[in-house]
Amino acid sequence: MKSYQHHLLDTEFLSKEEMQSLLRRARFFEEHHEESTNMFQQRFVANLFFEPSTRTRFSFEVAEKRLGLNVLHFSEEVSSTTKGESMYDTVKLLSSIGVETVVIRHRDEKVITELVKQDTGCTFINAGAGSWAHPTQALLDLYTIQQQFGDELKGLRVAIIGDLKHSRVVRSNIWSLQKFGVEVVVSGPSMMRDAEIEKQVRYVEFEEAIRSSDVVMLLRVQLERHEQNVFEGSEAYLQRYGMTQERFAQMKSHAILMHPAPINRGVEIAGEVVEHPRSKIFTQMGNGVWTRMAVLERAYVGRGGL
């Protein structure tokens, strides 16, 4: 396995033991969240988001501030990248003024992977790269599943359903869940299937996926990444491929519903299902803080301790 040291590009590059360690630290941070954790005071982190984000950006910021970090926010519109400055030079600038870690989201995965190969002086955490990877989402999903089913997940079935072709979440989740012995299956509309994903996991019909799984993880329909209309309308999608109340009732009695969000209510999921007790969507969002605290701690400790 290729080593990326203290960078976090994807769960593909983390061992099961490394993920277990991160999840243990996430649990520690959740259990002790009322205590002061200003362990990295006077150290700097920069958030570089080149795509819109609410959950990921804000949970990273809360995680950073809980750790005592000084947070710098990058805005592409008012940065020198609009004048032609390269990403490498932007990051070298940040490193020169004391930034140690860069949390980056970008539509082009090659931007992140190339920066990691270069001698910028910064540690990189992938906060979402195109349709390729979203490792911290996969980690918080894993943490949420463990909260429900315990640390030993071997034998569980997780169904990931929806816009497989354009999702960066599905790939990272497949890598992490399989390392824990989870059977992952995928499903969704034919025009949203992905041949590469189906080389790794089995595709099953939509209704079977819902009825047979312990975790049903819906994916957002990423309309902004589609070149043409893929269905007649939101109601049509919900009735054919979405989690209606009727389909929710077909799930196993102990099964939970997850979604990486943002949620298209009335598209991939009926509004009244979103906040059902067995829907863990908002629990996932909260867990993003603890898991991202663990990831940030790993980055700074990997650079040489506290």
Side-chain angles (χ1 to χ4, degrees):
M1 178 184 296
K2 186 174 181 180
S3 173
Y4 284 100
Q5 300 174 347
H6 41 277
H7 302 293
L8 179 59
L9 285 185
D10 196 6
T11 52
E12 176 184 1
F13 308 113
L14 294 175
S15 66
K16 179 182 178 181
E17 291 69 30
E18 287 174 310
M19 285 189 280
Q20 286 174 321
S21 176
L22 286 168
L23 297 175
R24 283 195 297 270
R25 290 302 290 165
R27 186 174 300 158
F28 171 84
F29 287 129
E30 181 180 16
E31 291 174 351
H32 297 84
H33 70 274
E34 294 181 357
E35 302 171 18
S36 175
T37 55
N38 292 326
M39 55 199 303
F40 296 117
Q41 286 183 311
Q42 305 306 314
R43 298 177 78 169
F44 289 85
V45 60
N47 294 331
L48 275 61
F49 280 70
F50 289 87
E51 285 189 310
S53 173
T54 303
R55 276 144 297 279
T56 303
R57 180 170 181 169
F58 285 152
S59 64
F60 259 115
E61 184 173 351
V62 171
E64 290 156 353
K65 291 184 175 181
R66 281 187 176 277
L67 292 171
L69 287 161
N70 293 298
V71 185
L72 304 182
H73 293 293
F74 172 88
S75 176
E76 184 179 15
E77 295 78 11
V78 296
S79 75
S80 292
T81 57
T82 61
K83 302 175 184 178
E85 182 177 65
S86 70
M87 281 292 297
Y88 171 79
D89 286 336
T90 297
V91 176
K92 283 293 285 186
L93 158 68
L94 294 171
S95 177
S96 298
I97 62 175
V99 171
E100 296 176 76
T101 299
V102 171
V103 178
I104 181 169
R105 169 173 287 198
H106 202 283
R107 63 189 67 87
D108 184 355
E109 66 189 68
K110 293 179 182 177
V111 168
I112 299 176
T113 54
E114 287 302 312
L115 284 169
V116 168
K117 294 175 185 177
Q118 297 170 328
D119 182 20
T120 63
C122 288
T123 297
F124 292 94
I125 297 173
N126 176 6
S131 298
W132 169 53
H134 198 347
T136 58
Q137 179 68 48
L139 289 169
L140 73 89
D141 289 344
L142 191 58
Y143 186 70
T144 304
I145 294 171
Q146 281 192 337
Q147 284 180 324
Q148 185 71 21
F149 296 100
D151 292 351
E152 181 53 62
L153 303 179
K154 187 175 182 180
L156 288 180
R157 172 182 276 196
V158 174
I160 305 178
I161 301 173
D163 194 351
L164 304 169
K165 188 173 184 179
H166 299 93
S167 175
R168 51 186 161 221
V169 172
V170 62
R171 292 162 176 81
S172 297
N173 264 302
I174 288 171
W175 286 113
S176 58
L177 290 167
Q178 287 185 331
K179 289 174 184 176
F180 279 76
V182 174
E183 179 192 6
V184 182
V185 298
V186 295
S187 189
S190 58
M191 74 289 287
M192 298 181 187
R193 293 175 66 169
D194 185 279
E196 290 303 312
I197 288 173
E198 291 178 36
K199 290 178 182 178
Q200 302 176 57
V201 296
R202 186 164 63 93
Y203 181 92
V204 301
E205 292 303 318
F206 182 44
E207 303 293 343
E208 178 192 345
I210 290 172
R211 291 194 301 266
S212 65
S213 300
D214 303 291
V215 178
V216 175
M217 187 181 299
L218 302 176
L219 300 174
R220 182 173 68 89
V221 181
Q222 300 194 36
L223 298 175
E224 72 278 10
R225 299 185 192 276
H226 289 274
E227 296 178 358
Q228 58 186 10
N229 291 333
V230 293
F231 56 92
E232 300 84 359
S234 58
E235 182 62 27
Y237 185 92
L238 178 65
Q239 293 307 316
R240 288 189 65 187
Y241 307 111
M243 182 59 72
T244 60
Q245 286 182 296
E246 293 75 21
R247 290 194 180 104
F248 186 76
Q250 295 175 19
M251 289 171 54
K252 292 181 178 181
S253 60
H254 68 268
I256 61 172
L257 181 68
M258 298 175 65
H259 192 305
I263 310 158
N264 291 319
R265 290 181 185 243
V267 182
E268 61 261 9
I269 182 170
E272 54 268 27
V273 176
V274 173
E275 295 177 70
H276 188 279
R278 288 196 289 126
S279 168
K280 303 302 176 181
I281 297 171
F282 287 99
T283 301
Q284 290 171 261
M285 296 178 192
N287 287 339
V289 173
W290 321 124
T291 52
R292 287 169 176 135
M293 286 178 73
V295 166
L296 286 158
E297 179 188 47
R298 173 181 180 267
Y300 282 90
V301 171
R303 293 183 62 89
L306 300 183

